Every structure is written in structure tokens, then in C-alpha cells.
Amino acid sequence: MKKTVWIVVANRGVARLFQASQPTGPLEEMDAFIHPEARLRDQDLVTDRPGRGFERSGPGSHAEEPDSSVAEVEAGHFALELSRFLLKGRQEGRFDALVLIAAPGFLGSLRDRLNGSMKDRILLEVAKNLVHLDAHAVRSYLPERLYSAVEA
């Protein structure tokens, strides 16, 4: 039975989607996604200064540090956008298995936003930022035979 594997190659601002239709064949690039907000610095995204906090043990105040940077939040939005696209593709039966290749910090963010049925379709994860590579170079980071572990 012919199987289709989608390979997502991403970082916090760019994602490229490849497809493998043969177990040992080349990859075909299908789509690209850009999220420019994730590449901006916090001060480019936020116009106001951090809030002020007051010391408990005497007079004085200090700037409050946010729990996460605006760039991290934007990367999370991008990961959510990608996860929704992947879920739609799976619901439409466009692929059987999924390979995630992403910059280490973004890989966890993307994985966290996939639902359980999508996580079950993950064939392989590679924690590397390879968005700048062409299809042939990306293929070299994958096992020679992609389909051996794919379940229909």
C-alpha cells in the first residue's frame, strides 16, 4: 500500500513542508510558511515598558520581568498555526505519518500543540534547525527507508 509521509522542517519563524511518497525516494517540497513576528525583538513588538514591582523588605522598586518573552509567545502562535494546518491535512487523509525536524526550542513548542491522534502519527523527530537546506539535504537527515515503521 502506498503511504505518504509529511516532513515539517521549521524554526520559530519559518516552516517548510515536504512530502515523501516512496519509502526510499526523494522529498518533494509542497509549501512554506513564514511568521515574521517571531523574528522580531521584544522591543519591536511591545510599545510600553515593563511594569514596576516594589520590594517587600524596604523602599525601592524594580522592573518586572515577564514570564516569557513576546518572541516566545509569537513562536507559540506559529506552532499553533502549524499544528492546525497539520490536523486539517490529516483529517483530509493527505498523509499517513509525520516527521518533525525543528530547531530544539521550537520542536517542543510544536509537539506540545499537537493533539493525541497527531502525536501518534509522528514517525521521527529531529532537533535541528534545517530550514535553510534544500530537499535533498533534508532527506540526508532521515532514515534510508522511511516507511518501515509507518502504520496505515
Side-chain angles (χ1 to χ4, degrees):
M1 177 178 198
K2 185 176 178 182
K3 295 179 168 79
T4 301
V5 178
W6 274 9
I7 299 96
V8 177
V9 180
N11 62 26
R12 67 183 189 161
V14 177
R16 293 169 62 203
L17 178 64
F18 297 90
Q19 177 174 296
S21 299
Q22 302 169 6
T24 59
L27 302 181
E28 169 192 352
E29 186 161 3
M30 298 175 44
D31 212 341
F33 307 86
I34 299 174
H35 189 74
E37 294 86 354
R39 299 182 136 202
L40 296 174
R41 298 174 306 180
D42 285 353
Q43 61 262 34
D44 295 333
L45 292 167
V46 178
T47 58
D48 56 348
R49 295 177 13 196
R52 304 295 295 173
F54 294 93
E55 299 296 332
R56 291 184 186 178
S57 61
S61 66
H62 61 276
E64 292 288 334
E65 291 293 323
D67 291 336
S68 58
S69 74
V70 177
E72 289 170 337
V73 170
E74 285 300 326
H77 290 157
F78 187 44
L80 183 60
E81 180 184 329
L82 287 174
S83 70
R84 288 177 177 160
F85 175 83
L86 294 171
L87 180 60
K88 184 175 185 240
R90 181 63 199 138
Q91 289 171 338
E92 294 171 353
R94 296 177 61 198
F95 68 93
D96 301 297
L98 185 62
V99 173
L100 301 178
I101 303 174
F106 188 71
L107 179 60
S109 185
L110 181 57
R111 185 187 319 110
D112 289 346
R113 283 157 180 84
L114 295 174
N115 69 20
S117 65
M118 286 296 295
K119 287 180 181 177
D120 293 342
R121 293 292 172 173
I122 296 174
L123 176 63
L124 175 68
E125 292 181 359
V126 178
K128 289 190 178 285
N129 186 1
L130 304 179
V131 295
H132 59 283
L133 297 180
D134 65 11
H136 179 73
V138 170
R139 183 66 176 96
S140 70
Y141 281 86
L142 302 174
E144 183 179 339
R145 186 164 185 80
L146 271 178
Y147 290 12
S148 60
V150 176
E151 307 242 347

